[in-house]
Amino acid sequence: MRTQFIGMISLVRKETSRVLRIWVQTLIPPGITMSLYFIIFGTLIGKRIGEMEGYPYMEYIAPGLVMMSVITNSYGNVVGSFFNAKIQGHIEELLVSPLSEVFIVIGYLAGGIIRGLAVGTVVTFIALFFTQINIKYPLMTFFVVIMTAGVFSLAGLINAIFAKKFDDIAVIPSFVLAPLTYLGGVFYTVSLLPEFWQTISRLNPILYMINSMRYSVIGISDVSIQNALMMIVFFFIILFLIAVILLRKGIGIRQ
Amino acid sequence: MQNAFGMHALSIKNLSKKYKSGVEALKSVSFDVQQGDFFALLGPNGAGKTTAIGIITSLVNKSSGSIEVFGHDMDKELAEAKSCIGVVPQEVNLNLFDFNFNILVNQAGFYGIPRSEGKKRAEQYLKKMQLWEKRKTDARSLSGGMKRRLMVARALVNRPKLLLLDEPTAGVDIETRRMMWDFLRDLNNKGTTIILTTHYLEEAEQLCNKVAIIDEGKIIENDSMQNVLKKLKTEVFILNTEKPLDEAPNIKGYLASLRSPQEIEITVSQEQGVNDAFSSLQESGVKVLSMRNKNSRLEELFLDLTKGQLGDDS
C-alpha cells in the first residue's frame, strides 16, 4: 500500500507541476474570460436587468461563473494531460509500473481538482472586483467545488481514454459541455422558462451543480439542494468506477 | 519458479496473442530465461518480438498463456511482477515537455520509491548515461541517441532484476552503441537479467549468452549462443587482395566470386576450414592482405532459419 501511495503522490505532484509550469495556459485564460463575462453580463447588461430572484444580477451570476470555470478547467486539464500522455506514449511510464488503476485515476483526478480549485480561486478574486461575495455555507461551497471538479475531471479522463485523435477531445467540450453549461442556469433562473423547457432543463446535470454552488454561496436554488448534492455524489462514484474499469481493461491504452 | 540452475527470471508458457485485426502475432510461445542471462530475442520484422515484450510489460493484453517473472504469476501478482521489470521500448515514449531529471524522479515514484531516494538514483543514472549536464533541459531538446540513453536511465531507476530492451541502440551512433554495450555488459555482470531484441545481430552475438529466434509467432530456435552458432553450416568471407584482379581466381573446392577488383567473396563450409583456400590462392600468386566475415555469424544463421523474410513490425 505504501508503494501505491508514493506512486499516487508522484502522479499528483507531476500533474500539479504541469498546471503550474504552463500557468499562462492554465490559469490566465480563464481569468481573462471570466473578467469579460463580469464586465459584459454583470456591469453592462446586468445594470439593465436589475435583480434576479431578489439579488443584484452580478451577485446572482457570480457563483455560476465560478462553477463554469471550475467545470471547463477540471475537464480540460485531465482530458488534455491524459490524451497527451497517450499520444506521446509516456502513459506507458504508468502502465508498466506497479501503480494500480485506482491510484492512477486518483492521481489524474487530483490534478483536475487542483486546477479547478486554482482557477475557481482566481475567478472568485476577480469577482470581488465587481460584486460582494459573502459565502453563506463555506463548507458546502468547498464540498460542491471539489466534487464538481472531480466529476468533470473523471469525465475528462473517460473522454481521453476513448479519444484516438485531437478531434475526439475537442468534440465533447464544444458540443456537449459548453451548451449544457450555458443552459445550466449560470445566467438565469430556470423559473423564467416555460414549463416545457423547465422540465428539459431539469435533465441537465450541470443545472444541479450550478444551483448547488449558488445555494452554498447566496442561499437560493432552482432545485432541491438535497437532490442536487446526491446527484453530484452519484455522478462522482459512477464515473470513478467507469474510469477504473476502463483502465483495468486497457480500453484505448492497451492493444 | 526454481530449476536445477536457480530461479527463472522469466517463464513463458503457451503465450498466444491474436489482435482484433485477426493477426496472430504469437502462437503458443514458450521459453524460459534464466536469472543472470543476457538473452537475445531475435526475429524478422513482424515476427512477434515487440508483442512478446508488450505482453511481459503489460502494455499488450495476451489472448492466452501464462507469464511468471521471478516466480510472480502476472495474473495473480501483477504489481510484484512489474516491480521486478524495467523496460526500454522501441519507440521514444518520453514526456517531451518535462525536464529529464523530473522524468526519472517521477518514474521512480511510480515504482513506490520515495522522492529523496528517487533524486539520488536519477542523478546516478543520468551521470552513468552521460546526461547529467542535460538534467534541466526538456526531453525534446535531446538528440536521438540521448533520448535512447535517457530511456535506458529511466528503465533503471527502480533497479530492475529483469531489464527488457527493445531495439535499444536503433539509430544511435557507433560511439554511443559501444558505450551502451559496455554499460549493459557491466549491468549483466552485476546480476541483472537482460532480454534484448535487436536488428543488429552483431550486437546480440557480442552481448548475449542465450538466444531465441522467433518467426511468424513461433519460437524456431532457443539455445545458448555457442550452440546456436555451431549450427551454422557455411560462412561467407571477404578477402582483400594486394593487387586488383580481372576475374575471380579458381579456388579448388570453394565457391568464389569477385565483389570488386580487390575483394574476393568465398563461401566456406564448417568442415572445410580456410587453410586450403589460402594455399590455393598462394599457388595462383594472389596475396591476401586481410579477411573479414561478410555478415556476422549469427546473421548468417538468422537468414538461413528465417529464410530472409521481411515484414511489418507487430
Side-chain angles (χ1 to χ4, degrees), chain A residues 2-3 6-7 10-11 13-14 21 88-90 92-99 249 253-255, chain B residues 17 57-61 79 82-83 93-98 103 106-107 109-113 115 154:
Chain A
R2 187 167 176 267
T3 302
I6 292 172
S10 299
L11 181 55
R13 188 188 274 266
K14 181 185 170 193
R21 193 175 66 239
Q88 288 186 44
H90 62 88
E92 291 178 6
E93 291 175 350
L94 287 169
L95 300 180
V96 301
S97 79
L99 195 59
K249 289 195 166 190
I253 48 173
R254 290 193 177 103
Q255 291 172 298
Chain B
K17 172 64 185 177
T57 52
S58 65
L59 294 174
V60 176
N61 290 331
K82 281 176 161 183
S83 293
N93 69 346
L94 296 162
N95 183 351
L96 298 175
F97 300 97
D98 207 352
I103 288 174
N106 285 333
Q107 187 68 11
F110 300 153
Y111 279 84
I113 296 156
R115 196 164 176 82
R154 185 184 60 182

Side-chain angles (χ1 to χ4, degrees), chain A residues 147-199:
Chain A
M147 290 299 283
T148 306
V151 166
F152 285 93
S153 298
L154 291 166
L157 179 59
I158 292 167
N159 184 178
I161 287 172
F162 282 110
K164 289 181 179 155
K165 50 189 190 299
F166 281 98
D167 287 354
D168 298 338
I169 61 166
V171 164
I172 303 285
S174 303
F175 296 104
V176 180
L177 210 53
L180 288 182
T181 309
Y182 282 93
L183 298 172
V186 175
F187 299 101
Y188 56 87
T189 162
V190 288
S191 62
L192 292 176
L193 301 174
E195 192 63 35
F196 173 76
W197 291 109
Q198 279 192 41
T199 309

Side-chain angles (χ1 to χ4, degrees), chain A residues 75-140:
Chain A
Y75 189 95
N77 193 70
V78 181
V79 78
S81 177
F82 193 88
F83 185 67
N84 269 322
K86 259 175 70 166
I87 289 291
Q88 288 186 44
H90 62 88
I91 191 67
E92 291 178 6
E93 291 175 350
L94 287 169
L95 300 180
V96 301
S97 79
L99 195 59
S100 77
E101 292 82 2
V102 170
F103 287 98
I104 292 176
V105 171
I106 295 174
Y108 276 99
L109 175 63
I113 290 175
I114 287 166
R115 167 133 168 223
L117 274 178
V119 170
T121 307
V122 168
V123 174
T124 304
F125 275 112
I126 290 168
L128 289 171
F129 284 103
F130 298 90
T131 183
Q132 58 173 9
I133 299 177
N134 298 312
I135 299 174
K136 201 164 184 181
Y137 306 111
L139 272 180
M140 188 191 286

Side-chain angles (χ1 to χ4, degrees), chain B residues 152-211:
Chain B
V152 173
R154 185 184 60 182
L156 293 170
V157 285
N158 61 312
R159 303 219 170 116
K161 292 200 276 183
L162 173 63
L163 181 64
L164 302 167
L165 303 160
D166 196 359
E167 313 261 358
T169 57
V172 303
D173 61 35
I174 294 167
E175 194 183 351
T176 305
R177 185 174 302 161
R178 296 283 167 173
M179 186 275 274
M180 293 254 264
W181 285 8
D182 290 342
F183 178 76
L184 294 172
R185 263 194 210 105
D186 183 51
L187 199 66
N188 181 243
N189 288 337
K190 286 176 180 163
T192 306
T193 308
I194 300 178
I195 298 178
L196 171 81
T197 80
T198 179
H199 274 128
Y200 303 109
L201 298 184
E202 184 201 352
E203 185 167 86
E205 197 176 333
Q206 289 274 336
L207 295 173
C208 302
N209 65 326
K210 299 274 179 64
V211 58

Side-chain angles (χ1 to χ4, degrees), chain A residues 34 61-74 116 119-120 123-124 140-149 152 181 186 206-214 216 232:
Chain A
M34 288 302 147
I61 64 169
L65 286 175
V66 172
M67 190 52 102
M68 189 164 126
S69 57
V70 168
I71 288 172
T72 49
N73 281 279
S74 52
V119 170
V123 174
T124 304
M140 188 191 286
T141 305
F142 191 64
F143 175 80
V144 169
V145 170
I146 295 257
M147 290 299 283
T148 306
F152 285 93
T181 309
V186 175
I206 294 180
L207 177 80
Y208 295 84
M209 294 162 187
I210 301 283
N211 275 282
S212 299
M213 182 68 172
R214 186 168 288 134
S216 71
I232 294 172

Side-chain angles (χ1 to χ4, degrees), chain B residues 131-145:
Chain B
L131 288 169
W132 182 241
E133 303 304 314
K134 300 281 182 183
R135 65 191 179 280
K136 286 182 182 170
T137 59
D138 50 31
R140 75 189 143 154
S141 62
L142 298 180
S143 69

